[in-house]
């Protein structure tokens, strides 16, 4: 009856709501301990719908003629509010049934615990503000839409000078008695077989005092009023209301199911049985749908009632049936006894029972210490629910919670793995001191799956962790290829000039016996060729001298083959003024060999050595990169394209790429995305990182690392 006031409905409809849905859940539910019926949050959500579609201003009585009075036609208003609540409940129940039939029970997982607790905490604030009118005995203006709480609270504060003192006294006495009795109940609970029914005692006592003292007639204290005896016949809800409440019905369906499945799984885990999430969704939907035909409003399990039912020994839903039978007796025979019950007492019961939800504000301190992202979700949910109302607040909260998941997957942590000596374990070398990096091999791992939102960041992180600025290295490699081509063309021109000189020498030898012949055109052409050749050489040397340090250079160490390929090596950094050129050998110990300058070697005169320290890692130390994809549960087309680019780019600088730990679904998606080709075969895939490491060391060689399986 008290929760019916939160739904802005006559109190008797709280009794109806505690009867029919519990009987339906008895046949279809899978939880043995939850108690189906009215609940604070859903009652407030239904109340926001009924007050929005049936405000008091639409039911003002008309006086003589067309004059409109300030008096509200309560009977007509309550009748239409019941229709709105029933239509919303039926539509919400149908949504739950459909979602359950299509196996959509996992939707409740999107409501995280911080979100649900913050949402119920904010809903408790709405409940307190909604009951202030009954506690203070004032009549504030009804508001709807965003900022309803702010406007209502402002209006109530403006009406404080007009507080009805008798109503305030009844409220204060009731709350003091309830709080004291509940504290005593908690203190004596270990010694009591069953909790003391504090609320029932308060209601009975308040009803007796109100009836014999005539509080309604003598002090104008608002009471419950007429409670009709007997059951109502079922009625089909007004389907024309559906289009106005579809959003609210969906919110009621999701919130009710989330509370139901969370409580159901809690008790199932405690008592060792299983709850079917999809069946729970169907059972709750049928309870709401059938209940809506009997003018009930939305239901879900109540935490307090469920705990009482479990602690008193209830092990099946027969306990819920027993409660429903008691409610049935009350409706049929005892309802008229509570007609003199002051509404202030019901409001006080609601107010005191919200104490548990107000304790949830301690979550702020706990989340600040444990997880600040969950704290942000909690605060955003609380603020949005307070300001945007329960329906829009829930939508905004879910959207923000999903955004935090996206942000966390978009900005994961990246790490380079090393081997724990004597094992096949590979862990982050930055967080585990005992881990040792494999010589010549970089093992790269992301803490999240690779997809379109973080694919580019994945590539940048790979470059940073490996120490290879692949873009710059490829650019300078291509420049070196172009320069090598120019040298070859220049050598070819020199060869032609040499051949021409030899022919002239032979011709001159034949003409030794005669007079020398001097040709101006021939000598001018020879002089021009020599000058052009010298200018080209000077310009190229000047260009190389002006290049800044920190640039990666690569040079061919073998002549170009007929198919246009040649072998490349990385230059070791050094003093630009040195005249000798060094490059790394393929040894793992990092020894270098120096190529002395000679008259035949033109490269040592044309290039200067540059520092690679700006890249953060000596580039020649890496010959293989292993990408650990064990954390990826899917891969999309954008990520596949990025992976292709990684394979192609690193192959240009003679670094092999391998993938390890791919799940079967990821491999299948790679096949569908045409990832594999003649250059990228499945031989690049390995079941584990250790297998990939052994292959790299066997394929490229290593002397300073002994695998775990060969250690003594």
């Amino acid at each position: 009856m008290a929760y019916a006031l939160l739904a802005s409905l006559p109190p008797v409809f709280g009794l109806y709501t505690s009867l029919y849905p519990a009987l339906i859940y008895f046949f279809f539910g899978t939880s043995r301990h939850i108690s189906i019926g009215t609940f604070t949050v859903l009652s407030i959500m239904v109340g926001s719908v009924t007050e929005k579609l049936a405000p008091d201003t639409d039911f003002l009585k008309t006086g003589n003629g067309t004059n409109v009075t300030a008096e509200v036609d309560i009977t007509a208003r309550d009748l239409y509010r019941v229709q709105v609540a029933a239509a919303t409940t039926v539509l919400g129940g149908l949504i739950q049934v459909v979602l359950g039939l299509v196996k959509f029970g996992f939707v409740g997982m999107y409501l995280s615990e911080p979100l649900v607790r913050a949402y119920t905490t904010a809903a408790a604030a709405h409940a307190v503000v909604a009951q202030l009118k009954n506690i203070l005995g004032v009549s504030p203006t009804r508001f709807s839409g965003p900022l309803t709480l702010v406007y209502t609270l402002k209006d109530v504060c403006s009406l404080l000078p007009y507080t009805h003192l008798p109503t305030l006294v009844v409220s204060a006495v009731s709350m003091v008695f309830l709080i004291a009795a509940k504290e005593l109940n908690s203190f004596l609970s270990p010694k009591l077989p069953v909790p003391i029914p504090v609320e029932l005692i308060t209601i009975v006592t308040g009803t007796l005092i109100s009836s014999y003292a005539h509080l309604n007639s003598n002090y104008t204290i608002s009471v419950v009023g007429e409670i009709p005896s007997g059951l109502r016949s079922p009625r089909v809800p007004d389907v024309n209301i559906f289009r106005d409440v579809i959003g609210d019905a969906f919110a009621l369906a999701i919130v009710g199911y989330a509370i139901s499945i969370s409580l159901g799984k809690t008790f199932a885990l405690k008592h060792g049985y299983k709850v079917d999430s999809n069946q729970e969704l169907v059972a709750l939907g049928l309870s709401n749908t059938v209940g809506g035909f009997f003018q009930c409003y939305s239901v879900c399990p109540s935490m307090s009632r469920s705990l009482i039912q479990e602690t008193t020994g209830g092990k099946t839903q027969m306990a819920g049936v027993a409660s429903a039978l008691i409610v049935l007796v009350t409706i049929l025979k005892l309802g008229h006894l509570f007609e003199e019950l002051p509404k202030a007492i019901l409001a006080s019961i609601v107010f005191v029972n919200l104490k548990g939800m107000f304790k949830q504000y301690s979550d702020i301190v706990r989340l600040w210490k444990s997880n600040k992202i969950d704290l942000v979700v909690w605060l955003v949910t609380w603020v949005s629910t307070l300001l945007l109302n329960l329906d829009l607040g829930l939508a905004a909260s879910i959207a923000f919670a999903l955004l935090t998941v996206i942000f966390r997957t978009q900005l994961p942590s990246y790490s380079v793995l090393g081997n724990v000596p004597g094992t096949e374990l590979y862990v982050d070398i930055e967080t585990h001191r005992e881990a040792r990096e494999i010589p010549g091999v970089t093992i790269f791992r992301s803490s999240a799956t690779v997809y379109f939102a973080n694919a580019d960041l994945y590539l940048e992180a790979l470059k940073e962790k490996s120490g290879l600025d692949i873009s710059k290295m490829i650019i300078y490699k291509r420049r070196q290829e172009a320069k090598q081509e120019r040298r070859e063309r220049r050598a070819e021109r020199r060869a032609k000039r040499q051949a021409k000189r030899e022919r002239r020498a032979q011709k001159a030898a034949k003409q030794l016996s005669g007079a020398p012949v001097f040709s101006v055109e021939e000598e001018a052409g020879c002089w021009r060729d020599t000058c052009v050749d010298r200018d080209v050489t000077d310009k190229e040397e000047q260009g190389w001298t002006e290049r800044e340090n920190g640039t990666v250079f690569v040079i061919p160490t073998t002549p170009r083959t007929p198919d246009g390929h040649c072998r490349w090596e990385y230059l070791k950094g050094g003093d630009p003024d040195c005249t000798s050129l060094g490059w790394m050998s393929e040894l793992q110990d990092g020894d270098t060999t120096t190529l002395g300058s000679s008259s035949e070697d033109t490269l040592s005169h044309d290039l200067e050595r540059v520092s690679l320290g700006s890249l953060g890692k000596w580039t020649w130390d890496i010959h293989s990169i292993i990408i650990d994809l064990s954390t990826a549960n899917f891969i999309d087309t954008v990520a596949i394209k990025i992976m292709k680019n990684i394979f192609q780019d690193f192959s240009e600088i003679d670094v092999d790429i391998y993938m390890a730990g791919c799940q079967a679904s990821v491999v299948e998606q790679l096949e569908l995305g045409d990832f594999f080709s003649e250059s990228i075969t499945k031989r690049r895939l390995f079941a584990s990182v250790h297998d990939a490491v052994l292959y790299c060391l066997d394929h490229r060689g290593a002397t300073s690392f002994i695998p775990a399986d060969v250690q003594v």
Side-chain angles (χ1 to χ4, degrees), residues 24 45 58 111 134 176 179 197-198 277 292 334 355 392 400 427 528 555 563 570 600 602 613 636 649 682:
I24 299 300
M45 295 177 70
D58 292 351
L111 301 178
N134 294 319
V176 170
I179 293 173
V198 178
S277 59
L334 305 178
K355 181 182 66 173
L392 295 178
F400 182 80
V427 294
R528 187 183 303 110
I555 63 170
D563 57 358
Y570 303 110
E600 289 84 5
T602 58
D636 59 9
D649 291 346
K682 286 189 176 181

Side-chain angles (χ1 to χ4, degrees), residues 593-647:
T593 58
T594 304
L595 176 66
S597 57
S598 62
S599 58
E600 289 84 5
D601 186 9
T602 58
L603 293 180
S604 60
H605 296 285
D606 292 335
L607 297 177
E608 53 182 323
R609 294 177 297 176
V610 209
S611 173
L612 300 181
S614 60
L615 294 181
K617 185 176 179 70
W618 296 113
T619 56
W620 54 78
D621 286 343
I622 299 176
H623 57 70
S624 302
I625 294 178
I626 300 174
I627 299 176
D628 183 6
L629 292 179
S630 58
T631 58
N633 56 354
F634 72 93
I635 188 168
D636 59 9
T637 56
V638 176
I640 291 176
K641 185 179 295 184
I642 291 294
M643 288 296 176
K644 282 185 177 179
N645 293 338
I646 290 175
F647 273 80

Side-chain angles (χ1 to χ4, degrees), residues 340-401:
E340 293 297 323
L341 175 64
K343 290 184 178 180
I345 294 181
L346 293 177
S348 300
I349 292 174
V350 173
F351 193 93
V352 173
N353 283 333
L354 292 174
K355 181 182 66 173
M357 291 189 179
F358 289 129
K359 289 182 178 179
Q360 294 179 157
Y361 283 105
S362 61
D363 291 350
I364 297 177
V365 178
R366 178 176 59 83
L367 293 176
W368 173 264
K369 297 178 180 178
S370 59
N371 192 316
K372 290 182 175 55
I373 294 181
D374 283 344
L375 174 61
V376 174
V377 172
W378 198 101
L379 293 175
V380 170
T381 302
W382 183 76
V383 172
S384 60
T385 305
L386 285 180
L387 300 182
L388 302 179
N389 255 1
L390 297 174
D391 48 356
L392 295 178
L394 178 63
S397 303
I398 295 176
F400 182 80

Side-chain angles (χ1 to χ4, degrees), residues 338-568:
F338 298 101
E339 291 180 354
E340 293 297 323
L341 175 64
K343 290 184 178 180
I345 294 181
L346 293 177
S348 300
I349 292 174
V350 173
F351 193 93
V352 173
N353 283 333
L354 292 174
K355 181 182 66 173
M357 291 189 179
F358 289 129
K359 289 182 178 179
Q360 294 179 157
Y361 283 105
S362 61
D363 291 350
I364 297 177
V365 178
R366 178 176 59 83
L367 293 176
W368 173 264
K369 297 178 180 178
S370 59
N371 192 316
K372 290 182 175 55
I373 294 181
D374 283 344
L375 174 61
V376 174
V377 172
W378 198 101
L379 293 175
V380 170
T381 302
W382 183 76
V383 172
S384 60
T385 305
L386 285 180
L387 300 182
L388 302 179
N389 255 1
L390 297 174
D391 48 356
L392 295 178
L394 178 63
S397 303
I398 295 176
F400 182 80
L402 294 179
L403 281 177
T404 60
V405 176
I406 295 174
F407 289 148
R408 279 185 276 190
T409 58
Q410 188 177 4
L411 301 172
S413 60
Y414 301 99
S415 56
V416 174
L417 306 185
N419 176 257
V420 178
T423 70
E424 297 182 3
L425 300 178
Y426 293 85
V427 294
D428 188 356
I429 60 176
E430 294 182 0
T431 58
H432 297 77
R433 296 181 179 179
E434 68 275 12
R436 297 293 180 265
E437 195 169 357
I438 311 301
V441 180
T442 295
I443 307 171
F444 178 75
R445 182 174 66 186
S446 169
S447 61
T449 188
V450 189
Y451 68 112
F452 68 93
N454 62 8
D456 291 335
L457 299 176
Y458 186 89
L459 178 58
E460 295 300 323
L462 177 59
K463 294 178 182 178
E464 178 182 354
K465 292 293 184 179
S466 64
L468 300 176
D469 193 339
I470 186 68
S471 302
K472 185 183 292 186
M473 296 169 75
I474 291 177
I475 289 174
Y476 281 104
K477 174 186 173 180
R478 291 173 181 171
R479 289 182 179 178
Q480 287 298 108
E481 288 178 339
K483 186 172 182 179
Q484 181 69 9
E485 291 178 358
R486 291 195 299 270
R487 289 173 177 164
E488 293 176 356
R489 289 196 300 268
R490 188 165 62 248
E492 184 179 354
R493 290 196 300 268
R494 289 176 178 174
K496 291 180 178 180
R497 287 196 296 272
Q498 182 65 25
K500 186 182 294 185
R501 293 191 186 97
E502 292 178 355
R503 287 196 300 271
R504 286 200 300 267
Q506 293 176 359
K507 184 177 180 180
K510 294 179 180 179
Q511 297 177 352
L512 286 177
S513 58
V517 179
F518 178 77
S519 174
V520 176
E521 293 81 359
E522 200 172 293
E523 292 298 326
C526 180
W527 177 81
R528 187 183 303 110
D529 290 342
T530 303
C531 292
V532 169
D533 188 44
R534 184 179 298 111
D535 290 341
V536 171
T537 303
D538 293 341
K539 289 181 180 179
E540 289 182 353
E541 291 181 352
Q542 181 181 0
W544 282 99
T545 305
E546 292 175 353
R547 297 185 191 275
E548 61 180 2
N549 290 340
T551 306
V552 180
F553 289 95
V554 285
I555 63 170
T557 58
T558 59
R560 183 181 296 272
T561 58
D563 57 358
H565 297 286
C566 59
R567 188 168 179 275
W568 294 86

Side-chain angles (χ1 to χ4, degrees), residues 166-433:
T167 302
L168 181 61
V169 171
V170 172
S171 302
V173 172
S174 301
M175 283 190 285
V176 170
F177 175 77
L178 285 168
I179 293 173
K182 281 183 173 292
E183 292 297 327
L184 181 63
N185 204 3
S186 300
F187 179 75
L188 298 177
S189 58
K191 302 178 181 179
L192 297 176
V194 293
I196 301 175
V198 178
E199 289 84 359
L200 180 60
I201 295 174
T202 305
I203 289 176
V204 172
T205 304
T207 303
L208 291 175
I209 294 175
S210 174
S211 178
Y212 285 103
H214 303 288
L215 297 181
N216 184 23
S217 58
N218 293 337
Y219 300 99
T220 63
I221 294 177
S222 179
V223 296
V224 170
E226 181 183 0
I227 298 179
S229 298
L231 300 175
R232 285 177 170 259
S233 59
R235 291 182 54 186
V236 178
D238 188 358
V239 295
N240 294 323
I241 303 178
F242 283 179
R243 63 175 180 270
D244 297 325
V245 299
I246 184 170
D248 302 284
F250 187 81
L252 284 166
I254 298 300
V255 173
Y257 169 69
I259 297 172
S260 177
I261 196 64
S262 60
L263 280 177
K265 288 186 176 181
T266 300
F267 288 116
L269 183 63
K270 181 178 180 180
H271 295 278
Y273 63 92
K274 185 178 180 182
V275 173
D276 187 341
S277 59
N278 293 309
Q279 182 61 30
E280 279 295 297
L281 196 51
V282 172
L284 193 62
L286 290 175
S287 300
N288 280 315
T289 302
V290 176
F293 283 95
F294 289 92
Q295 288 82 54
C296 301
Y297 61 91
S298 295
V299 297
C300 74
S302 169
M303 183 178 297
S304 58
R305 287 198 310 270
S306 300
L307 288 173
I308 292 175
Q309 181 172 303
E310 188 240 359
T311 54
T312 53
K315 297 181 179 179
T316 65
Q317 282 299 321
M318 284 301 298
V321 174
S323 300
L325 292 178
I326 296 175
V327 173
L328 178 62
V329 173
T330 303
I331 294 174
L332 295 177
K333 299 297 182 181
L334 305 178
H336 66 281
L337 299 178
F338 298 101
E339 291 180 354
E340 293 297 323
L341 175 64
K343 290 184 178 180
I345 294 181
L346 293 177
S348 300
I349 292 174
V350 173
F351 193 93
V352 173
N353 283 333
L354 292 174
K355 181 182 66 173
M357 291 189 179
F358 289 129
K359 289 182 178 179
Q360 294 179 157
Y361 283 105
S362 61
D363 291 350
I364 297 177
V365 178
R366 178 176 59 83
L367 293 176
W368 173 264
K369 297 178 180 178
S370 59
N371 192 316
K372 290 182 175 55
I373 294 181
D374 283 344
L375 174 61
V376 174
V377 172
W378 198 101
L379 293 175
V380 170
T381 302
W382 183 76
V383 172
S384 60
T385 305
L386 285 180
L387 300 182
L388 302 179
N389 255 1
L390 297 174
D391 48 356
L392 295 178
L394 178 63
S397 303
I398 295 176
F400 182 80
L402 294 179
L403 281 177
T404 60
V405 176
I406 295 174
F407 289 148
R408 279 185 276 190
T409 58
Q410 188 177 4
L411 301 172
S413 60
Y414 301 99
S415 56
V416 174
L417 306 185
N419 176 257
V420 178
T423 70
E424 297 182 3
L425 300 178
Y426 293 85
V427 294
D428 188 356
I429 60 176
E430 294 182 0
T431 58
H432 297 77
R433 296 181 179 179

